[in-house]
């Protein structure tokens, strides 16, 4: 497989963008295209290195995940109830992704479709932030089954590379009554089951493409995304209570013409 320098670059891109509302898959496709790293193996690598980002969230929110395994008195988002909420959030995108896995990888993993998603996602973010919100839920323990399922439906938008799972989750949460900090926090926690499912399924479908010699390449990618994601999540958590999604929308709109000029036209 390609050299380890490619793995390092892509892992940093994955870790820094996975939990920000800018689309990690979109950035990986764009950067991979610039590096000449594309095709079936590249698409699978871009999914598998998400394991590093997943581990970063588990490390940062270990108390919450431990609470799912060992119910804690006074915390509604724990034990089987917390697990059920995460399952509800994961079901819509899992079903849609399973049904249309081949079509998504064939038609949406390309710079032109990422460009469109970047712009549409940015416009949606600006629209959402212009609305007046009166949040009904401000903590994970206030999340209801209806809210969890509703957020899961919005996560289906993230199957379109360039839209962003984080952006879809945060916007969906805000529109359905969650505060912005809660929507951001839930986007981190809810990412774990859906990303584990997506990574496992992709590996099963693409296992025959790889050999033992690819292990170092994947190991570097997973480790790099883990370190980068730790930094990105900590910074985003610190900022989310003081800023809106608009700066991220502006970044996406700023990036779009460069993508068009250098990679699409």
């Amino acid at each position: 497989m390609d050299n380890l320098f490619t793995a390092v670059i892509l892992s940093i891109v994955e870790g820094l963008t996975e939990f920000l509302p800018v689309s990690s898959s979109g950035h990986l496709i764009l950067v991979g295209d610039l590096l000449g790293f594309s095709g079936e193996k590249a698409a699978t690598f871009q999914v598998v290195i998400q394991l590093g980002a997943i581990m970063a969230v588990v490390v940062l929110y270990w108390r919450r995940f431990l609470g799912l395994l060992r119910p804690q008195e006074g915390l509604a988002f724990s034990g089987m109830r917390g697990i059920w909420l995460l399952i509800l959030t994961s079901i819509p995108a899992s079903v849609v992704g399973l049904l249309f896995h081949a079509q998504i990888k064939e038609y949406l993993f390309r710079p032109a479709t990422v460009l469109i998603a970047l712009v549409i996602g940015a416009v949606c973010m600006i629209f959402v932030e212009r609305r007046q919100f009166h949040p009904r839920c401000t903590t994970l323990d206030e999340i209801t089954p209806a809210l969890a399922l509703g957020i899961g439906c919005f996560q289906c938008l993230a199957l379109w590379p360039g839209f962003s799972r984080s952006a879809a989750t945060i916007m969906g949460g805000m529109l359905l009554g969650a505060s912005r900090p809660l929507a951001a926090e839930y986007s981190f926690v809810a990412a774990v089951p859906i990303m584990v499912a997506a990574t496992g399924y992709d590996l099963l479908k693409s296992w025959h493409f790889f050999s033992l010699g690819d292990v170092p390449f994947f190991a570097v990618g997973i480790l790099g995304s883990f370190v980068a994601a730790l930094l990105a999540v900590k910074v985003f958590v610190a900022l989310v209570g003081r800023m809106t999604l608009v700066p991220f929308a502006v970044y996406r709109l700023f990036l779009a013409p460069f993508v068009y000029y250098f990679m699409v036209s």
Side-chain angles (χ1 to χ4, degrees):
M1 187 173 273
D2 291 50
N3 60 55
L4 295 183
F5 175 75
T6 298
V8 171
I9 296 298
L10 292 177
S11 69
I12 293 174
V13 171
E14 158 63 24
L16 292 179
T17 60
E18 178 60 53
F19 300 106
L20 302 183
V22 296
S23 178
S24 62
S25 58
H27 279 72
L28 285 172
I29 291 169
L30 297 176
V31 175
D33 191 76
L34 288 173
L35 295 174
F37 183 56
S38 58
E40 190 69 29
K41 282 189 175 183
T44 299
F45 175 79
Q46 292 164 7
V47 173
V48 171
I49 61 173
Q50 292 177 346
L51 286 173
I54 294 170
M55 290 188 291
V57 170
V58 172
V59 168
L60 291 171
Y61 289 89
W62 66 270
R63 288 186 178 86
R64 278 294 183 181
F65 286 104
L66 182 62
L68 295 175
L69 301 176
R70 187 175 60 193
Q72 300 180 34
E73 186 177 351
L75 296 181
F77 191 81
S78 66
M80 285 307 302
R81 184 180 186 277
I83 293 173
W84 174 237
L85 292 174
L86 290 175
I87 291 174
L88 284 174
T89 299
S90 303
I91 286 175
S94 297
V95 171
V96 175
L98 183 63
L99 291 175
F100 299 100
H101 177 265
Q103 291 84 352
I104 289 170
K105 294 191 75 172
E106 181 176 357
Y107 297 111
L108 297 183
F109 275 68
R110 56 187 65 181
T113 53
V114 169
L115 168 63
I116 297 171
L118 284 171
V119 174
I120 292 178
V123 172
C124 290
M125 290 160 68
I126 293 172
F127 170 78
V128 169
E129 287 291 0
R130 288 178 64 86
R131 295 171 59 91
Q132 294 294 322
F133 290 99
H134 303 285
R136 299 186 301 275
C137 302
T138 57
T139 69
L140 286 175
D141 298 306
E142 295 175 338
I143 292 177
T144 63
L147 176 57
L149 181 60
I151 290 175
C153 291
F154 274 93
Q155 276 199 148
C156 291
L157 293 169
L159 296 172
W160 182 4
F163 197 93
S164 168
R165 184 202 51 78
S166 175
T169 305
I170 294 173
M171 287 190 290
M174 291 173 64
L175 289 171
L176 295 174
S179 66
R180 187 187 298 106
L182 170 59
E185 183 179 13
Y186 192 62
S187 76
F188 304 146
V189 177
V192 173
I194 190 69
M195 288 168 66
V196 168
T199 300
Y201 182 72
D202 208 282
L203 272 176
L204 287 175
K205 294 282 290 186
S206 308
W207 191 256
H208 60 283
F209 286 112
F210 306 99
S211 65
L212 189 62
D214 296 323
V215 172
F217 193 80
F218 276 87
V220 169
I222 292 172
L223 178 60
S225 66
F226 171 77
V227 175
L230 280 177
L231 174 63
V233 172
K234 286 186 176 181
V235 172
F236 188 46
V237 168
L239 293 176
V240 73
R242 303 195 299 270
M243 64 185 293
T244 68
L245 296 174
V246 173
F248 297 102
V250 171
Y251 164 76
R252 293 164 67 115
L253 292 174
F254 179 79
L255 179 63
F258 289 93
V259 175
Y260 177 79
Y261 182 80
F262 289 106
M263 307 183 70
V264 176
S265 63

